[in-house]
Amino acid sequence: MHLLPRGREKNGGFSMMNREELLRPNESGKPAIVPGKPNESELMRRVTHHDPEERMPYEAAPLSNAEIATLRQWIKEGAVWGTHWAYVPVQPVQVPSLKGFLGLFPQKNSEWAKTDIDKFILAEMQKQGLNPSSKADKATLLRRVSLDLIGMPAPNEIAKAYLQDQSPAAYEKLVDALLASPRFGERWASMWLDIARYADTKGYERDPGRQIWHYRDWLIRALNRDMPYNQFLTEQIAGDLLPNPSDEQYLATAFHRNTTTNDEGGTDNEEFRVAAVVDRVNTTFEGVLGTTFACTQCHGHPYEDIKHEEFYRVMAYFNNARDEDTYEEYPLLRHYPTADSVKLDSLCKWVAKVSTPQRSLEMYTFLKTLQPSIYSIAGDQFVNAELYDTKTLVMRKDGIARFKQVGTNSATKLICRLRPHAEGGTWEIHADSVKGPLVLQIKLPSPEGGWRNIELDIKAPSGKHDLYWVYRNPSIQDQTKGGVSFDWFYFTQPFPGKDNADYAKYQADFWQLLNSNPTSTPVMVENPWFMQRKTQVFERGNWLVKGKEVEPGVPKIMGTLPENVPNNRLGFAHWLSSYSNPLTARTFVNRLWEQVFGMGLVETLEDMGSQGTPPTHPELLDHLAYQFTHQQKWSIKTALKNIVSSNTYQQRSETSPQLREKDPYNRYYARGPRVRLSAEQVRDQAMVLSGLLSTKMYGPGVMPYQPEGIWASPYGNEKWVLSQGEDRYRRAVYTYHKRTSAYPSMLTFDGTSRNVCTARRIRTNTPLQALVTLNDPVYVEAAQALAKRMRYAGAEVDRQIARGYYLALKHKIDPKKGAILAKLHKKALAKYRADSKLTQELLGKQKVKNPAEYAALTIVANAILNLDEVITKS
């Protein structure tokens, strides 16, 4: 029944958002409901009123007598207010019994239900008057489970072993082999990268390159190792806050450094820092918790009991990361080569010995991440100084810049990254005002050598102070010329162990490591205590209009932090994977189900809430979630094995008139899944079937064939440079991803730009997809290579066609399909024999025997790659 005109928005002060609001007096001064007393409840008077102007719902059909009776009884019983199913912690669920009457007569098809999944599915199937389908044949199951678990056809040795194995354990051995394959991590990384909004560029109009592929490689390794999902989440959300974090744990936090960064000149860095923080909140809730949380940035949730303020309480967990929309994307994890990593390890052990473990940890953190530094973009109150292109601070003659409320921590040394532009300049730092106490005064080095790191002696006051940087250089005549640029500065103490015999060696190692320029990856690092930001509510979501200050906290409807965890980002990560969290496990097992069956038990992966699609099998969803966290110990591979081992999964996918009428979308699973392949799978399958696939793993993004003129880089000369050698044939997960111009064939098959989190790809079916697989150079070359493999069957065209079909599907070709393809070959052969120029256009520079025959077979191979059963998992 609908009592309000628009969802659950307030009307006349009346709201059904929660029980508290429901019982609150409205604008009339009366509460809508008096629990236990329907005759005294204003709501009952209004729903039974005869005047349409007074009656609820307004301008809608009146409630039926049965609905009114239900409402009256509910109020009489105390107006008990339930909680939406998705916000109730997951509990054990009783598996349906299929024993029948008195346990003596088994229910129909009960022998089919071998697993708990099957029992839940069969119970619902029987309610719908449906029966399960028979088991798919071995070849079909081989292709289906290979595409689901590793995202491509099984390697030959795995496929051959399965097809030849006639034992009852053959299928389980196949599943285990696929789960153990390194291809597993690549396939499931593609799914997670949509959630992580991973890309090789920064986004926005400029969209320059970003070196963050180490995160993608971490993800593949974590999935291949079957890292428990609770650890998987914790390391990505707060790996930097774990005790003595490893490089891998730092790398994991790049999950939330995939936010877009705006390098365009003239932008407000704080605005886009805030935008990144907001995006982290929204990504976590949509991708991990299946909750629409973004709207609460501006107001209370219109459909869930989530308040406006609660968005900012969650935001407080993320608001103290060190990144600030800098051009260099600080903080960075520096990937030292092996020799330097050994040197760093030795240095830190020596520092712990001559000083303290804390000093050693500070030095390690600084050399690995350059933190906690203060970035030049934090400056303000510029006089004859400015942020050059909003990236680095440039000071001219008599230039001044203020750094507000800097915690110096009573440091005696300052390390600074700078670049002098003129001879003879001096630098001063004053506390509290331009004429305040002198903290530093030095003569700057020569401009020769460009950017460098220098260490300075300072007299830093204790506590927090405004610091004023002043640049003087009487030799500069042109006031518009820059005198010095600087990037960041870092307060510290003198290098320890001065009286130790190895002091000089280790000090030299320190500077060599600091001045080196290793590859790096943007990561999360938390502000130290003296850099902490406060978090305030944004009035109506406007970041410029700050309201009340809030402390970190999770939405009340979703529980509380576990006991004995810190109330910071790490504590938040522990809450995500706590048993009491109602959403994390449900959301993830629903995602696994969607990846396998094509649609989740809750179709709206992004919204488990009251406006999402209700679950078709709520008890099964809770059973899978509880198993995942308890019996399976958060193991992704175990959860997947459980799903693909069910008879539900192993059914034939063919439909029937009865099934089409009763269950056109296969929501009750009376047949196996039949789903169009994902963008990545379409490409990867073509590479496998053609024999072109490179199994090389990891490294920077690669650039396979792409039409000229796709990229438009308004602020640079970045170009798509065709990769050479095997890099041209790598798996799709390694393809370079530019946000403003994603790989076009991927977009055609429903890939995403990854500007924001994508919790669910919506499958489409358009003519453009066929045009891609028929004409894109990637697929034309794949067809040429497949044609070469087909020729190994001998000179007879029918045998060549049969081999091509078998390579694609591991099935013998139906005579009717064989005849159609043979007719296509005959027509193409006549065409290419009559036109050698056309043949050359198709084959390019290849020198082959009987080119017309090879060209005709290429057309047939191309058709095979475009068959519905080839681009569909069935």
Side-chain angles (χ1 to χ4, degrees), residues 406-472:
V406 175
T408 61
N409 215 13
S410 300
T412 58
K413 294 285 185 179
L414 183 141
I415 298 176
C416 181
R417 180 162 180 79
L418 56 78
R419 181 182 183 182
H421 300 291
E423 296 281 0
T426 60
W427 226 357
E428 298 172 3
I429 301 177
H430 295 265
D432 303 323
S433 70
V434 175
K435 296 183 178 180
L438 190 65
V439 176
L440 165 74
Q441 183 177 38
I442 63 154
K443 182 177 180 181
L444 290 171
S446 167
E448 295 177 9
W451 285 99
R452 71 202 72 178
N453 304 311
I454 64 172
E455 184 179 67
L456 309 170
D457 293 318
I458 60 169
K459 299 175 182 178
S462 61
K464 289 186 175 182
H465 296 265
D466 289 355
L467 296 183
Y468 290 81
W469 294 63
V470 181
Y471 174 74
R472 306 186 192 282

Side-chain angles (χ1 to χ4, degrees), residues 97-112:
S97 172
L98 303 176
K99 292 182 179 179
F101 181 68
L102 297 177
L104 299 176
F105 305 101
Q107 292 184 18
K108 182 181 178 182
N109 295 313
S110 60
E111 72 285 351
W112 174 84

Side-chain angles (χ1 to χ4, degrees), residues 167-462:
S167 72
Y171 181 73
E172 183 177 7
K173 287 189 280 187
L174 168 65
V175 170
D176 289 341
L178 294 171
L179 291 171
S181 168
R183 311 282 81 82
F184 173 87
E186 294 171 330
R187 179 265 186 265
W188 288 92
S190 293
M191 173 201 74
W192 191 259
L193 292 175
D194 274 3
I195 297 169
R197 63 272 193 245
Y198 170 86
D200 294 291
T201 58
K202 298 181 183 181
Y204 291 110
E205 183 184 19
R206 203 170 206 143
D207 201 25
R210 167 185 281 166
Q211 292 293 316
I212 202 167
W213 53 266
H214 280 286
Y215 166 74
R216 180 245 291 140
D217 292 354
W218 173 88
L219 180 59
I220 293 170
R221 290 192 296 270
L223 291 165
N224 276 333
R225 291 198 304 266
D226 197 22
M227 179 183 287
Y229 186 62
N230 56 346
Q231 179 186 349
F232 179 79
L233 287 179
T234 298
E235 294 194 3
Q236 291 184 84
I237 298 294
D240 59 305
L241 296 178
L242 293 169
N244 299 318
S246 65
D247 282 11
E248 290 285 288
Q249 288 167 332
Y250 270 121
L251 261 184
T253 68
F255 170 72
H256 268 326
R257 291 302 310 279
N258 281 304
T259 47
T260 52
T261 300
N262 197 339
D263 284 346
E264 184 182 351
T267 56
D268 188 320
N269 290 301
E270 176 63 7
E271 176 184 359
F272 291 98
R273 182 198 73 81
V274 168
V277 175
V278 167
D279 178 69
R280 286 165 193 157
V281 174
N282 294 337
T283 293
T284 304
F285 274 75
E286 182 176 333
V288 177
L289 297 172
T291 298
T292 55
F293 199 60
C295 62
T296 57
Q297 179 187 348
C298 299
H299 48 72
H301 202 295
Y303 300 107
E304 317 294 351
D305 189 13
I306 303 173
K307 297 174 174 57
H308 178 43
E309 178 182 312
E310 290 181 312
F311 183 94
Y312 296 93
R313 296 193 69 199
V314 174
M315 181 176 163
Y317 287 120
F318 295 95
N319 198 31
N320 272 295
R322 283 296 304 127
D323 62 294
E324 294 180 358
D325 200 60
T326 61
Y327 176 71
E328 297 292 348
E329 301 219 276
Y330 302 126
L332 302 166
L333 179 69
R334 289 148 61 89
H335 304 287
Y336 292 111
T338 303
D340 281 352
S341 292
V342 171
K343 189 178 292 185
L344 174 62
D345 184 61
S346 176
L347 167 64
C348 291
K349 287 180 179 176
W350 178 83
V351 170
K353 181 179 177 182
V354 302
S355 182
T356 64
Q358 180 61 29
R359 184 76 171 98
S360 173
L361 179 60
E362 289 172 2
M363 189 171 293
Y364 177 85
T365 302
F366 176 64
L367 289 173
K368 286 295 291 186
T369 67
L370 303 179
Q371 297 304 317
S373 297
I374 298 169
Y375 316 130
S376 65
I377 64 167
D380 63 8
Q381 294 190 4
F382 300 136
V383 176
N384 211 24
E386 65 178 324
L387 291 176
Y388 174 70
D389 202 26
T390 71
K391 295 175 179 61
T392 54
L393 179 59
V394 178
M395 305 185 75
R396 306 185 185 94
K397 182 178 180 180
D398 300 324
I400 300 171
R402 181 189 73 162
F403 289 85
K404 189 176 181 180
Q405 290 298 289
V406 175
T408 61
N409 215 13
S410 300
T412 58
K413 294 285 185 179
L414 183 141
I415 298 176
C416 181
R417 180 162 180 79
L418 56 78
R419 181 182 183 182
H421 300 291
E423 296 281 0
T426 60
W427 226 357
E428 298 172 3
I429 301 177
H430 295 265
D432 303 323
S433 70
V434 175
K435 296 183 178 180
L438 190 65
V439 176
L440 165 74
Q441 183 177 38
I442 63 154
K443 182 177 180 181
L444 290 171
S446 167
E448 295 177 9
W451 285 99
R452 71 202 72 178
N453 304 311
I454 64 172
E455 184 179 67
L456 309 170
D457 293 318
I458 60 169
K459 299 175 182 178
S462 61

Side-chain angles (χ1 to χ4, degrees), residues 72 181 400 553 623 707 783 869:
R72 183 182 299 278
S181 168
I400 300 171
H623 176 73
E869 58 261 53

